[in-house]
Amino acid sequence: MNNKKKENNYIKDKEVKSLKERFNFKLFGIIICILFFVSFFLYFNLIKENNVISTQTYDIIRNAQDNDMNDNLVEKTYSSKSYLILKFPLKITTENNALNFLMIIIFIVSLFMINKLIPKTSILLLIVPFTPIFIQFLFIINDYTFSLFSALICVYSINQKNKYFKFIMSLLFSLISFFFNPYIGLIVIIYIVTYLIKNTKIDINYKKKKRIYFSLYLIPILITTFIKYETTLTTTNSFVELNSIYGVSLNLILIAIIGYNKFKRNIYLRNLALAGFAIFFIDKIAGILVLNIILLIIVSNTIKSIIDESWNNINLQKLTILLLFCTIIFSNVLHLSFINNNQTDNEIIETLKEFSKFKASTVISSKENGYIIKYFSNKNIILDSEETKIQNYKEKILDINNLFLSRNIDTTSNLLKKYNISHIIITEDMVKNEDNVEKYNGILFLIDVYRDNFKPILKRDKITIYKFIKK
Amino acid sequence: MDKKTTILIGIIFLIAIIIRIFFSVPNETFNDSDSYYSLRQLKSIEENKYLLYEDPLSFSGKEFSFMPGFYVLMGIPYLFFQNIIIIKIISIILISLTTIIIFLISKKLTNNKNIALFTSFGSIFIPILLSKTTNNITTINLTIPLVLLALYLFSEYGKSSTKSFLYISFLFALALVSAHSLIFLTSIFMYTILLKIEKISISKNKQEITIFSTIFLVWINLIFFKKALQSHGINIIWQNIPNDIVFNYFSSLNMVNIIFFIGIIPFVLALYGIYNNLFKTKKEELYIYAGFITTIFFLLLLRLVKLETGLIYLGLAFMIFSSLGIKDLITYIKKTKSVKYIKIIFAGIFILFIITSIIPTIQAINNKNHISPETIQALKWIKNKTPNTSIILGTINEGHLISEIAERKNVIDTNFLLQKNINDRYNDIELIYTSSLAIKAIEASNRYNINYILFDDAKNYYNINSLKYKDSSLLELVYSNKKVDIYKIKGRVEKYEQ
């Protein structure tokens, strides 16, 4: 009987082995490679000539070009520190080339750093460029980019063998990360402390360790509670599937949940995830970026474990892996497409450049258009997206909301006179976007009714610039 | 399965078809307005060879977000025959397949073909199921058998390569037919949670298929409902149904109603079956259906599923568990002295079942509001006598009728997804029908550029006899029959702020 059992087990083992041998990725690998080539083709074809996604980048370029720290066109002090990095490349080349150069450097170095954090399977490295974090790295240059980039270098350095290299590099880059964004910097510090507790030769007893971990958890929680609490936490702004430039992918979350069991005891991921969640409530973008890195690590490990495990049904295993790659690639190619569509339209840019030749005192448009009006038209505006940094912003916001909503010509005229506004810029987004229709209802109505007061001086499909004629 | 059982299950399947045909085919109209929406999709396939994802008539023009499987499946025979009766019959055959699936599940659970046959027969007469799936062509007719089949094949997964292949095939089909695939997915999750609670280890096969099903179903639903997700965010789980409707759905819900809709005998037997089997024996297969029943309870509790749909699933789940109740009852009686009367006892149960399930079912079907000939006449008048661009106001139940029969733009129908400010719109419509002040009503109707008001279903829907401002100079009665009035809005009331 026992011999028979042994024989059966042997046959079973042999079957499993032969299944594993058959599962050698030959055909499967070819399918995935084709999928990737098609996706890469899409990836790079989707990128238009103009590679600036976040309009804030225009403000950073202006900051790098100006020798003054004050933004004279909107009465504020520049808050971004990224201009320091952009200053040098801008001295030797054009804006587009400088941005391209930075993006490529960040992309390649980050890919190398991430490669050290995820399992060493070449196929996994293929999916990394399709994850939200890399799409955000590749297209958006601002303080977050540099802070996270420094954080990755810091994490990479701390895991090196050379003591001095480890110490100097991790200290240097954690400071740089902190300089660009204190919250991401804080997460780097949490990582370093966790590393030290785990790897230090000094004997720390269990109780002490518990206390240290507890205080580590406490820092972000205290910050969340006492410093600042962003109430703008809405689902539509936090997931890439819901068209958010900065967001986590629902698909990646799902895959991470599937693989959660295997990583719940990983102290690094646990500490970083908790800190990431806490930071999310203070600085949403910083939190999202950190969570994206953690997700990427868990997801790549989950995929690897699915590839390595021997499943009872080998075809189902192949189908599941293919499905995993499809979900990641398609969801993020769509994200990329959305990000690409978010670029400022060339027609708007050309019209604003043309408008720079016109004389104008102050211009009003949506606050989202603020950066590009300043950059391309070099005209004074009242508000841009960093409204809270602007002098008397509370009063200005109230007045401008009133100006956009009011259907009374006298109210609007008085407000236009108060801020010495000579021109009004209406873009396609302000008219057609359903969320904006209510927002600019009043001014659109008045422009339509009081045509003598609002004369169009530049009219294109996606943008119209009106001159306000005082009466 | 022996020949006799096959013949018997065939007969039960035929009875299910014949009963539905009896109540469906003689009617020229449908029992619900959603069928008219399906009809528009079929006509779109016939005329344009594609599905209606952008409709100029619904909500006076909006996009749709839906799974195409059912309409494509029905569209193919419609292309060949262009006959509604054939489509009705196909729809009836699809929903009647439920009897066979219930038989398979019950047989698997009880290992007793007679009990399985009785349960299968009983499933024909679940009052809510029969009344809501008779004389209509809606996705639910295909979704219900697919959900049950997916549950059954999930429990059988890994037992043979054919069953495994069938499971994956039907999972694909379910994913492409309805978002109810997510109900199935939640049931699987609930099953794994229940197994964990009971400390029963989940088999490797089940683990593998759960991972696959989860990734696949979530991905497919994300692809098809991406726009809706972007538009409504997390609120998509409430399907953008106006708050008042959700409240009204559930305000009438109480235990007596639930029992009435499900049937008292299946309800009692199922409770007995659940008590005896879930709490006393730990059979892994049972937890799949326990997961299903728990999911439906939670969805109903959180108002995440339409009341009618939830009750249909609940009725079927109770029917499955009632088979276990019957089995346990037989075992119990056999142990007692009443064993001599076992036939009389079961005859009594059967008679009780007929009284409590079959009679209410037939009543429910007869009480169901068919679209009346007067309504059809009025809609045809709109089609012939009003300009093509007119916007017609009707209640939610009349929206699809206006689009399909009158071929005019409606203001509201049951496709709420992707519609912004749905609550404002719903409240404005209520204001137009119930306001005493003409100026307020006309001002609200101007917001949606309404040209005509159809006054028919509003009597029941808002519990009114007539428009209170019908004599106003802003309104003109242009059509009237025994049941329906149509008013033309003559004036405009603009409200300019400040």
Side-chain angles (χ1 to χ4, degrees), chain A residues 92-137:
Chain A
I92 51 170
T93 183
T94 60
E95 291 97 327
N96 260 0
N97 284 344
L99 289 172
N100 275 336
F101 170 74
L102 275 175
M103 281 174 185
I104 290 168
I105 294 283
I106 290 171
F107 184 75
I108 294 170
V109 178
S110 309
L111 203 61
F112 179 72
M113 303 292 161
I114 288 278
N115 191 34
K116 298 281 170 190
L117 297 175
I118 62 173
K120 307 283 172 289
T121 309
S122 52
I123 203 157
L124 284 176
L125 203 58
L126 281 173
I127 63 157
V128 174
F130 292 94
T131 50
I133 189 81
F134 269 81
I135 292 174
Q136 287 150 16
F137 256 149

Side-chain angles (χ1 to χ4, degrees), chain B residues 272-323:
Chain B
Y272 184 59
I274 290 170
Y275 172 75
N276 266 342
N277 291 277
L278 275 185
F279 302 120
K280 289 183 179 173
T281 59
K282 289 185 177 180
K283 214 174 162 188
E284 192 202 321
E285 279 163 359
L286 267 179
Y287 287 94
I288 294 170
Y289 305 102
F292 179 57
I293 214 167
T294 321
T295 302
I296 300 298
F297 260 125
F298 273 115
L299 293 179
L300 279 171
L301 209 68
L302 298 171
R303 303 178 179 195
L304 298 177
V305 66
K306 273 186 183 174
L307 179 65
E308 291 168 354
T309 318
L311 288 178
I312 289 173
Y313 283 126
L314 206 61
L316 287 163
F318 272 101
M319 196 48 86
I320 290 167
F321 276 101
S322 71
S323 65

Side-chain angles (χ1 to χ4, degrees), chain B residues 217-251:
Chain B
L217 291 179
V218 171
W219 185 49
I220 288 281
N221 279 286
L222 271 180
I223 289 174
F224 278 91
F225 293 102
K226 189 174 185 277
K227 269 196 174 174
L229 199 63
Q230 285 165 358
S231 178
H232 308 300
I234 198 76
N235 293 327
I236 195 181
I237 55 173
W238 280 278
Q239 300 141 61
N240 200 31
I241 298 173
N243 295 340
D244 285 3
I245 296 185
V246 176
F247 179 76
N248 287 338
Y249 268 157
F250 289 88
S251 62

Side-chain angles (χ1 to χ4, degrees), chain B residues 276-477:
Chain B
N276 266 342
N277 291 277
L278 275 185
F279 302 120
K280 289 183 179 173
T281 59
K282 289 185 177 180
K283 214 174 162 188
E284 192 202 321
E285 279 163 359
L286 267 179
Y287 287 94
I288 294 170
Y289 305 102
F292 179 57
I293 214 167
T294 321
T295 302
I296 300 298
F297 260 125
F298 273 115
L299 293 179
L300 279 171
L301 209 68
L302 298 171
R303 303 178 179 195
L304 298 177
V305 66
K306 273 186 183 174
L307 179 65
E308 291 168 354
T309 318
L311 288 178
I312 289 173
Y313 283 126
L314 206 61
L316 287 163
F318 272 101
M319 196 48 86
I320 290 167
F321 276 101
S322 71
S323 65
L324 288 168
I326 297 168
K327 190 189 174 192
D328 293 336
L329 196 64
I330 293 170
T331 320
Y332 177 73
I333 293 170
K334 278 181 180 172
K335 283 180 193 168
T336 65
K337 287 177 184 172
S338 326
V339 70
K340 294 175 262 179
Y341 309 111
I342 193 162
K343 282 184 182 170
I344 299 169
I345 292 170
F346 277 94
I349 290 175
F350 188 72
I351 292 165
L352 258 176
F353 172 73
I354 288 177
I355 296 167
T356 55
S357 282
I358 298 178
I359 295 169
T361 306
I362 292 167
Q363 264 181 346
I365 297 172
N366 284 332
N367 287 342
K368 193 106 175 83
N369 290 331
H370 300 285
I371 314 294
S372 69
E374 287 86 1
T375 309
I376 304 284
Q377 259 177 26
L379 290 165
K380 282 186 176 163
W381 181 89
I382 292 173
K383 184 183 173 183
N384 296 325
K385 303 283 180 188
T386 63
N388 285 343
T389 50
S390 305
I391 297 177
I392 317 291
L393 174 74
T395 62
I396 279 181
N397 302 329
E398 290 164 339
H400 294 306
L401 294 172
I402 292 167
S403 303
E404 165 53 24
I405 300 171
E407 293 175 17
R408 294 291 178 271
K409 290 176 178 175
N410 67 43
V411 185
I412 199 166
D413 57 43
T414 54
N415 284 321
F416 304 117
L417 273 188
L418 290 177
Q419 183 59 46
K420 293 228 168 187
N421 306 324
I422 189 72
N423 285 312
D424 292 346
R425 187 175 277 250
Y426 184 81
N427 294 337
D428 281 341
I429 291 167
E430 187 173 356
L431 178 85
I432 297 169
Y433 275 119
T434 56
S435 172
S436 318
L437 291 171
I439 199 154
K440 263 192 165 184
I442 303 299
E443 189 213 314
S445 69
N446 287 166
R447 275 202 279 276
Y448 306 98
N449 300 318
I450 296 166
N451 305 107
Y452 294 89
I453 300 174
L454 177 70
F455 190 78
D456 178 13
D457 179 56
K459 286 173 205 160
N460 297 323
Y461 200 86
Y462 297 110
N463 207 11
I464 49 174
N465 295 322
S466 63
L467 290 179
K468 287 172 190 158
Y469 54 93
K470 65 179 179 184
D471 300 325
S472 158
S473 59
L474 295 167
L475 218 60
E476 183 190 347
L477 180 70

Side-chain angles (χ1 to χ4, degrees), chain A residues 235-236 241-243 251 254 258 310-313 316 319-320 323-324 326-327 330 407 434-435 445, chain B residues 157 168 196 204-205 208-209 211-212 214-216 218-219 222 226 229-230 233-234 420 496-498:
Chain A
T235 50
T236 38
E241 281 84 357
L242 304 182
N243 282 353
N251 282 316
L254 181 76
I258 291 169
S310 66
W311 282 32
N312 288 352
N313 188 338
L316 189 73
L319 208 58
T320 309
L323 206 60
L324 279 171
C326 284
T327 53
F330 289 136
R407 285 182 167 212
E434 276 186 58
D435 298 327
F445 169 78
Chain B
Y157 180 83
I168 294 170
K196 269 224 149 159
K204 202 164 181 243
N205 275 326
E208 289 170 6
I209 199 63
I211 291 175
F212 172 77
T214 310
I215 297 168
F216 176 67
V218 171
W219 185 49
L222 271 180
K226 189 174 185 277
L229 199 63
Q230 285 165 358
I234 198 76
K420 293 228 168 187
Y496 288 134
E497 195 190 324
Q498 293 182 23

Side-chain angles (χ1 to χ4, degrees), chain B residues 149-179:
Chain B
L149 200 59
L151 283 170
Y152 171 70
L153 290 169
F154 179 81
S155 73
E156 292 290 289
Y157 180 83
K159 288 181 182 167
S160 74
S161 55
T162 321
K163 280 178 180 168
S164 304
F165 174 74
L166 278 176
Y167 171 75
I168 294 170
S169 313
F170 281 110
L171 191 76
F172 270 85
L174 174 62
L176 291 173
V177 164
S178 167

Side-chain angles (χ1 to χ4, degrees), chain A residues 372-390:
Chain A
I372 52 169
I373 293 171
K374 283 191 291 176
Y375 186 77
F376 293 108
S377 303
N378 199 28
K379 297 280 184 270
N380 287 317
I381 56 161
I382 313 234
L383 287 178
D384 61 23
S385 293
E386 275 183 312
E387 52 197 6
T388 50
K389 306 269 164 49
I390 295 164

